[in-house]
Amino acid sequence: MPVLVEIVTRPSAQDHTDLTKVYADAPDWLLAPYASADALIARGIGETRLIAGRFNDRLLGAALLSRDEDCWRLSHLCVRKVTRKRGVARRILDEAQRMAREAGKPLHLAAPRGHLESQALAARTGLPLDNL
């Protein structure tokens, strides 16, 4: 069964639990400028910017997708520690690229300045990296 990617608009109680687990192991720099994972999740859902990967009815990874006038930006990409290295982040990234392309916008990655993980992801994907 493939990972299905969706914009989270009406999360169930289980979805909230899953999203909390997704960001539980995130480094502090990944959560910035939000005070906590809960704040990031609430804001993302409230602004319909939270995109997530679902497998077997469970959310395994998530990110924020900002749809700006000049381009779309994917930030705060994180996958549950126990399910990393299985293509969940790649599926989220691919779907964000597809959605941006259909809207006629380029996709950029966004992260705080100077983080090597974000720079490496940008290099691997060939996407521009913007600073938050």
Side-chain angles (χ1 to χ4, degrees), residues 60-125:
L60 304 177
L64 295 181
L65 182 61
S66 300
R67 299 178 233 20
D68 300 325
E69 285 294 318
D70 59 335
C71 68
W72 287 20
R73 289 180 178 84
L74 188 73
S75 65
H76 301 88
L77 178 61
C78 192
V79 175
R80 281 192 66 186
K81 191 172 188 173
V82 298
T83 57
R84 290 181 187 158
K85 305 291 184 193
R86 296 184 185 168
V88 176
R90 185 77 222 179
R91 268 297 289 130
I92 293 170
L93 181 62
D94 288 347
E95 185 62 13
Q97 284 182 296
R98 184 195 66 76
M99 292 167 64
R101 188 173 46 254
E102 283 184 2
K105 304 290 182 181
L107 182 69
H108 292 205
L109 298 175
R113 183 181 309 276
H115 287 91
L116 297 178
E117 297 93 339
S118 301
Q119 293 170 0
L121 179 60
R124 279 194 313 273
T125 61

Side-chain angles (χ1 to χ4, degrees), residues 6-67:
E6 63 191 70
I7 300 289
V8 180
T9 56
R10 298 181 68 185
S12 67
Q14 184 62 58
D15 290 344
H16 277 287
T17 299
D18 291 344
L19 290 167
T20 299
K21 289 178 181 178
V22 165
Y23 287 104
D25 296 320
D28 289 340
W29 68 263
L30 184 68
L31 299 177
Y34 302 96
S36 67
D38 289 338
L40 182 153
I41 293 165
R43 186 84 173 264
I45 292 169
E47 297 175 352
T48 62
R49 295 189 310 128
L50 190 71
I51 185 171
R54 185 181 298 277
F55 181 78
N56 285 343
D57 294 324
R58 301 299 293 270
L59 296 178
L60 304 177
L64 295 181
L65 182 61
S66 300
R67 299 178 233 20

